[in-house]
Amino acid sequence: MPGAECTCPSIAIRRYLGKLSGPLRDRIDIALSLQRVATTRAADDGLRSSSVTVRERVVAARDRARSRLRATTWRTNAEVSGSWLRNGPLAPDAQIRRPLDTALHRGTLTLRGYDRVLRVAWSVADLAGHDRLQSSDVGRALYLKQGFAG
């Protein structure tokens, strides 16, 4: 029912989410808990962006990615191979990778997840107008993936 709130107890939600296999969860790029925002509050807080503004940002980000990948066979961040992201000419340096390496070492992130976070981080960087990955891009991508900051 549109507008209805979930009334399931948190234990039931956790039990349901526990049924998803690791490999399936690994393929989910963004996992966030969101709270409902009143429409009037969003408008009052200036949180609304016009569709035109958002489209312009996305087009600019895609152009940035296409330009960065022009010497490859890929055109979007989603297409880039994991090994190229980790070891290619634009691979992030050790300081930028540190949160990913830590999560991988602790077992909270698989290598597939690592690569997926890098792809999202590049999308975040492209939207922000960055030419290279920054710590904040990786941190935001990690948060979007697992709900924790790097």
Side-chain angles (χ1 to χ4, degrees):
M1 168 180 276
E5 291 190 38
C6 178
T7 57
C8 301
S10 59
I11 190 73
I13 295 170
R14 282 194 300 271
R15 187 173 46 246
Y16 179 77
L17 291 174
K19 293 180 181 184
L20 297 176
S21 70
L24 180 60
R25 279 194 318 263
D26 215 19
R27 287 175 170 81
I28 299 171
D29 289 339
I30 298 175
L32 287 176
S33 295
L34 301 174
Q35 294 182 359
R36 186 179 307 219
V37 176
T39 307
T40 55
R41 180 171 176 223
D44 293 343
D45 290 345
L47 298 176
R48 298 178 123 192
S49 295
S50 73
S51 295
V52 171
T53 303
V54 172
R55 184 180 194 297
E56 288 170 356
R57 285 186 65 213
V58 170
V59 167
R62 285 196 160 231
D63 288 345
R64 191 171 286 105
R66 195 173 5 265
S67 175
R68 181 179 62 254
L69 300 170
R70 70 182 167 275
T72 71
T73 59
W74 307 298
R75 297 295 165 250
T76 65
N77 295 325
E79 299 169 341
V80 180
S81 76
S83 61
W84 193 85
L85 288 168
R86 286 180 268 112
N87 304 311
L90 295 175
D93 64 25
Q95 181 180 357
I96 304 293
R97 278 193 331 262
R98 186 168 293 126
L100 292 172
D101 293 339
T102 300
L104 184 66
H105 180 70
R106 288 182 181 162
T108 58
L109 194 64
T110 64
L111 189 56
R112 178 188 293 132
Y114 188 108
D115 294 343
R116 294 180 82 86
V117 169
L118 280 176
R119 287 184 190 99
V120 171
W122 271 112
S123 294
V124 169
D126 290 335
L127 284 166
H130 302 155
D131 293 330
R132 300 277 307 181
L133 279 184
Q134 297 181 5
S135 296
S136 59
D137 303 324
V138 172
R140 180 165 283 180
L142 265 173
Y143 178 76
L144 291 170
K145 172 71 174 164
Q146 297 182 326
F148 68 85

PDB file of all heavy atoms in Angstrom, residues 99 138-140 142-144 146-150:
ATOM      1  N   PRO A  99      41.098   1.780   3.445  1.00  0.00           N
ATOM      2  CA  PRO A  99      39.840   1.279   4.012  1.00  0.00           C
ATOM      3  C   PRO A  99      39.329   0.022   3.305  1.00  0.00           C
ATOM      4  O   PRO A  99      38.796  -0.882   3.949  1.00  0.00           O
ATOM      5  CB  PRO A  99      38.859   2.441   3.823  1.00  0.00           C
ATOM      6  CG  PRO A  99      39.688   3.631   3.546  1.00  0.00           C
ATOM      7  CD  PRO A  99      40.985   3.158   2.976  1.00  0.00           C
ATOM      8  N   VAL A 138      36.067   6.999  -1.881  1.00  0.00           N
ATOM      9  CA  VAL A 138      36.089   5.604  -1.431  1.00  0.00           C
ATOM     10  C   VAL A 138      35.257   5.457  -0.160  1.00  0.00           C
ATOM     11  O   VAL A 138      34.485   4.500  -0.013  1.00  0.00           O
ATOM     12  CB  VAL A 138      37.539   5.109  -1.215  1.00  0.00           C
ATOM     13  CG1 VAL A 138      37.565   3.736  -0.569  1.00  0.00           C
ATOM     14  CG2 VAL A 138      38.281   5.090  -2.547  1.00  0.00           C
ATOM     15  N   GLY A 139      35.378   6.421   0.751  1.00  0.00           N
ATOM     16  CA  GLY A 139      34.597   6.372   1.985  1.00  0.00           C
ATOM     17  C   GLY A 139      33.112   6.398   1.716  1.00  0.00           C
ATOM     18  O   GLY A 139      32.343   5.628   2.304  1.00  0.00           O
ATOM     19  N   ARG A 140      32.688   7.264   0.813  1.00  0.00           N
ATOM     20  CA  ARG A 140      31.260   7.335   0.479  1.00  0.00           C
ATOM     21  C   ARG A 140      30.797   6.048  -0.187  1.00  0.00           C
ATOM     22  O   ARG A 140      29.723   5.539   0.111  1.00  0.00           O
ATOM     23  CB  ARG A 140      30.985   8.521  -0.425  1.00  0.00           C
ATOM     24  CG  ARG A 140      29.500   8.612  -0.788  1.00  0.00           C
ATOM     25  CD  ARG A 140      29.142   9.915  -1.366  1.00  0.00           C
ATOM     26  NE  ARG A 140      29.057  10.853  -0.260  1.00  0.00           N
ATOM     27  CZ  ARG A 140      28.750  12.120  -0.398  1.00  0.00           C
ATOM     28  NH1 ARG A 140      28.502  12.612  -1.580  1.00  0.00           N
ATOM     29  NH2 ARG A 140      28.689  12.924   0.636  1.00  0.00           N
ATOM     30  N   LEU A 142      32.067   3.035   0.198  1.00  0.00           N
ATOM     31  CA  LEU A 142      31.995   2.006   1.241  1.00  0.00           C
ATOM     32  C   LEU A 142      30.723   2.155   2.068  1.00  0.00           C
ATOM     33  O   LEU A 142      30.072   1.182   2.400  1.00  0.00           O
ATOM     34  CB  LEU A 142      33.213   2.089   2.161  1.00  0.00           C
ATOM     35  CG  LEU A 142      34.380   1.183   1.844  1.00  0.00           C
ATOM     36  CD1 LEU A 142      35.559   1.517   2.738  1.00  0.00           C
ATOM     37  CD2 LEU A 142      34.010  -0.270   1.953  1.00  0.00           C
ATOM     38  N   TYR A 143      30.398   3.389   2.408  1.00  0.00           N
ATOM     39  CA  TYR A 143      29.181   3.634   3.168  1.00  0.00           C
ATOM     40  C   TYR A 143      27.949   3.184   2.368  1.00  0.00           C
ATOM     41  O   TYR A 143      27.059   2.542   2.913  1.00  0.00           O
ATOM     42  CB  TYR A 143      29.061   5.109   3.537  1.00  0.00           C
ATOM     43  CG  TYR A 143      27.790   5.406   4.270  1.00  0.00           C
ATOM     44  CD1 TYR A 143      27.646   5.061   5.607  1.00  0.00           C
ATOM     45  CD2 TYR A 143      26.705   5.981   3.616  1.00  0.00           C
ATOM     46  CE1 TYR A 143      26.457   5.295   6.283  1.00  0.00           C
ATOM     47  CE2 TYR A 143      25.519   6.223   4.282  1.00  0.00           C
ATOM     48  CZ  TYR A 143      25.404   5.879   5.616  1.00  0.00           C
ATOM     49  OH  TYR A 143      24.228   6.101   6.272  1.00  0.00           O
ATOM     50  N   LEU A 144      27.926   3.516   1.086  1.00  0.00           N
ATOM     51  CA  LEU A 144      26.806   3.114   0.254  1.00  0.00           C
ATOM     52  C   LEU A 144      26.709   1.599   0.126  1.00  0.00           C
ATOM     53  O   LEU A 144      25.617   1.035   0.038  1.00  0.00           O
ATOM     54  CB  LEU A 144      26.911   3.750  -1.137  1.00  0.00           C
ATOM     55  CG  LEU A 144      26.709   5.258  -1.189  1.00  0.00           C
ATOM     56  CD1 LEU A 144      27.072   5.796  -2.575  1.00  0.00           C
ATOM     57  CD2 LEU A 144      25.285   5.623  -0.812  1.00  0.00           C
ATOM     58  N   GLN A 146      27.972  -0.785   2.388  1.00  0.00           N
ATOM     59  CA  GLN A 146      27.751  -1.540   3.615  1.00  0.00           C
ATOM     60  C   GLN A 146      27.221  -0.713   4.777  1.00  0.00           C
ATOM     61  O   GLN A 146      27.060  -1.232   5.858  1.00  0.00           O
ATOM     62  CB  GLN A 146      29.054  -2.219   4.039  1.00  0.00           C
ATOM     63  CG  GLN A 146      29.522  -3.232   3.024  1.00  0.00           C
ATOM     64  CD  GLN A 146      30.776  -3.934   3.451  1.00  0.00           C
ATOM     65  OE1 GLN A 146      31.628  -3.340   4.095  1.00  0.00           O
ATOM     66  NE2 GLN A 146      30.894  -5.185   3.102  1.00  0.00           N
ATOM     67  N   GLY A 147      27.025   0.552   4.545  1.00  0.00           N
ATOM     68  CA  GLY A 147      26.501   1.385   5.608  1.00  0.00           C
ATOM     69  C   GLY A 147      27.503   1.727   6.676  1.00  0.00           C
ATOM     70  O   GLY A 147      27.133   2.057   7.794  1.00  0.00           O
ATOM     71  N   PHE A 148      28.805   1.621   6.363  1.00  0.00           N
ATOM     72  CA  PHE A 148      29.804   2.073   7.319  1.00  0.00           C
ATOM     73  C   PHE A 148      30.837   2.934   6.620  1.00  0.00           C
ATOM     74  O   PHE A 148      31.078   2.763   5.433  1.00  0.00           O
ATOM     75  CB  PHE A 148      30.483   0.911   8.061  1.00  0.00           C
ATOM     76  CG  PHE A 148      31.368   0.046   7.201  1.00  0.00           C
ATOM     77  CD1 PHE A 148      32.686   0.388   6.957  1.00  0.00           C
ATOM     78  CD2 PHE A 148      30.895  -1.137   6.669  1.00  0.00           C
ATOM     79  CE1 PHE A 148      33.508  -0.405   6.173  1.00  0.00           C
ATOM     80  CE2 PHE A 148      31.710  -1.936   5.885  1.00  0.00           C
ATOM     81  CZ  PHE A 148      33.004  -1.576   5.641  1.00  0.00           C
ATOM     82  N   ALA A 149      31.395   3.858   7.337  1.00  0.00           N
ATOM     83  CA  ALA A 149      32.420   4.734   6.777  1.00  0.00           C
ATOM     84  C   ALA A 149      33.770   4.053   6.869  1.00  0.00           C
ATOM     85  O   ALA A 149      34.050   3.351   7.827  1.00  0.00           O
ATOM     86  CB  ALA A 149      32.443   6.064   7.529  1.00  0.00           C
ATOM     87  N   GLY A 150      34.614   4.300   5.854  1.00  0.00           N
ATOM     88  CA  GLY A 150      35.910   3.658   5.802  1.00  0.00           C
ATOM     89  C   GLY A 150      36.915   4.215   6.693  1.00  0.00           C
ATOM     90  O   GLY A 150      37.101   5.037   7.362  1.00  0.00           O
TER      91      GLY A 150
END
